[in-house]
Structure formats: C-alpha cells, structure tokens
Amino acid sequence: MKPRVICHTFTSIDGRIKQTIWGLTDPAKYFEEPAAQIKADAWLVGRVTMQEFSSKKKHKFRPASGKDIRKDFVALQTSNTYAVVIDPSGKCEWDGNMVSTEHVIEVLTEKVSNGYLGHLRENNVSYIFGGKKELDLALVLEKLNKLFRISTVRIDGGGHVNGAFLKAGLIDEISVVLAPIADGTIHSLVAFEAEEGYGKRKATHLKLKSLKKIYDDFLWIRYDVVKPQTPFLNAPARKKAAAKKK
Ligand SMILES: NC(=O)c1ccc[n+]([C@@H]2O[C@H](COP(=O)([O-])OP(=O)(O)OC[C@H]3O[C@@H](n4cnc5c(N)ncnc54)[C@H](OP(=O)(O)O)[C@@H]3O)[C@@H](O)[C@H]2O)c1
C-alpha cells in the first residue's frame, strides 16, 4: 500500500525556500509549528537537508559482512515515528539512530559500500534499498508502509526531494507556509526542483483545501493534488506496464 504523502514547505511569495536574506528572527518556527499540526508517522527529507541534523564527524567505516547485510534492515528501536532520508550514495553519517524523537531510516541505492552499511548497523540505523543505481520512489513508499507500517509521510524538503516526488506523481497534498517576503534571488532553490526547461511534463493541478492567516502576515495554504495523475501501481504492476511499453 502507498502511504498518503503530504509535502510541507515554507516559501517566499516567489516560491524560494532558502531563508538566507529573509531576516527572520526565528525562521524554524514558521516551518515547524504548522508542520507539527499535520498528523504523520514520518517526515522525509533529501540528503542535503538531513545533513543539517546528522553527525558532523567523519567516521571510520568497518565493512560489515554476512548474507543479509545488503538486504533491507529494520533495526530494533522503540519509536513508532520516523525520520527518513533519501540518501542514494550513503553520505549522511550518524552517532546514533534518532533525530529528536524519530527513528532514522536511510533510503539507499545498491551503490553504497559494505563499509557504509557497517556504519549504519553499528549505529542501529534502519535502511532500505530503493533501486540499483536510481531510486524508484513508489517502491520506497511501498517499503516504508510494509516494513514500518507508515501510513502518512510528510515530505519536509528541500526543493530537489520535493521536486522528485512531484515529478513521480506521488504527492497527495501540498502544505505551504507563505512568508510575506519577495526574495528575488535568481537561480536560488524553489519549493519544487523537478526538471530543467519545458519538456513533455505537465504541471500539477491543485484544489484549495484550507487557507489560514498565521503570525499576522503569513498564510498557511493546504491543497489537495488533483487526480488522476498516473494511477499508483504496485511493483509487479509497474513491471508489467513497463514491459507492455517496450
Ligand atoms: N523552506 C523550506 O521549506 C525548506 C525545507 C527543507 C529544506 N530547506 C532548505 O533547502 C536546502 C536543501 O535543498 P536541496 O534541494 O538542495 O536538497 P534536498 O532536497 O534536501 O536533498 C537533495 C539530495 O537528496 C538526494 N535525492 C533527493 N531526491 C532524490 C532522488 N529522487 N533520487 C536520488 N537522490 C535523491 C540527492 O542526494 P545526493 O546528492 O547524495 O545524490 C540530492 O542531491 C537547504 O538549504 C535547506 O535548509 C528549506
């Protein structure tokens, strides 16, 4: 089963997400406080965003062995809420297996070394494989549901991970906190970094779900993604559809 996917983002009125020149005294609260009101079993971020929370140390990896080392690993842990990172090459390092109150799940490709897997095992960090060299994000969602019983995921950015899930048609709802700020920095990150230029892809249409004025001049807007996009197919059905296309 595919979990429900809600993408939560904090942007300027021109869709930019880096707060470098915004001059806000407590920028985290505008993202975190509305996010806390969205019920979810997990939050999910890209590798760049997670490196703000993971270890800053460079660890020495001791390669792990054993027949199960390159299989999905569900670590023994006590939390039933999760911090998921899309980290295809295994760049986040860990001193433990929690971020705040959430248990860490690394989403990897098979490119990662046994040394890195040993590092995750040593820290009791869970991991799943989402593809050989590239990630199948639909498969990743299926595994999060099947192995960890995650039924709602909140995607918390940054722009590239948001864009990847948008492009894959896997987002059900978008939650935007709109700051009363016009940023204007050319080439700065925006909420959805899906694709360069205009190709065959069509933009995603949304339906307004709720609109709230918060912190005086900010807006919190929630949209449902208008379906049908490509209907969600499970792994065998995706294989069958791909074979049919050839
Ligand atoms: N305002 C907000 O709402 C908000 C929220 C979160 C973050 N941020 C800010 O956004 C910035 C980071 O955003 P970002 O777009 O640069 O990075 P990001 O989305 O956090 O992470 C991007 C990285 O994640 C991996 N990744 C994501 N999707 C993938 C896919 N489909 N397949 C393979 N790998 C994938 C790749 O890692 P590899 O490079 O290792 O391959 C990619 O480079 C930070 O400045 C952060 O503070 C803002």
Side-chain angles (χ1 to χ4, degrees), residues 13 27 30 48 69 72 129 151 171 177 205 220 232-233:
I13 61 150
Y30 303 102
V48 176
I69 190 73
D72 297 336
F129 290 95
S151 57
I171 299 178
V177 176
H205 287 228
W220 183 15
F232 180 77
L233 302 174

Side-chain angles (χ1 to χ4, degrees), residues 119-148:
H119 170 69
L120 296 183
R121 291 273 183 144
E122 244 175 54
N123 285 286
N124 215 26
V125 170
S126 295
Y127 55 81
I128 59 174
F129 290 95
K132 279 203 164 89
K133 287 189 180 153
E134 288 186 2
L135 291 173
D136 174 347
L137 295 176
L139 175 69
V140 168
L141 291 175
E142 270 178 63
K143 284 190 175 188
L144 291 176
N145 176 259
K146 197 168 163 196
L147 299 175
F148 301 92

Side-chain angles (χ1 to χ4, degrees), residues 8-11 16-19 22 31 45-50 52 86-89 91 111 134-135 137 156-162 164 189 193:
H8 178 67
T9 183
F10 175 39
T11 76
R16 292 182 164 96
I17 59 169
K18 276 194 138 182
Q19 296 135 37
W22 295 6
F31 182 92
V45 292
R47 187 266 306 167
V48 176
T49 302
M50 188 57 103
E52 293 169 17
I86 304 290
D87 186 14
S89 313
K91 293 180 186 162
K111 290 187 288 195
E134 288 186 2
L135 291 173
L137 295 176
D156 280 358
H160 285 93
V161 87
N162 293 350
L189 278 179
E193 298 277 350

Side-chain angles (χ1 to χ4, degrees), residues 166 168-172 202-207 224-232:
L166 183 81
L170 293 168
I171 299 178
D172 300 295
K202 297 275 182 250
T204 303
H205 287 228
L206 310 173
K207 186 162 177 46
D224 280 322
V225 170
V226 175
K227 312 274 179 170
Q229 297 173 315
T230 335
F232 180 77

Side-chain angles (χ1 to χ4, degrees), residues 64-66 68-75 85 103-109 112-114 116-122 124-130 143-144 147-148:
S65 54
D68 287 340
I69 190 73
R70 300 197 70 85
K71 290 192 177 147
D72 297 336
F73 173 61
V74 180
V85 56
H103 172 74
V104 177
I105 305 172
E106 279 270 351
V107 176
L108 308 169
T109 63
V112 296
S113 66
N114 283 1
Y116 183 69
L117 296 175
H119 170 69
L120 296 183
R121 291 273 183 144
E122 244 175 54
N124 215 26
V125 170
S126 295
Y127 55 81
I128 59 174
F129 290 95
K143 284 190 175 188
L144 291 176
L147 299 175
F148 301 92

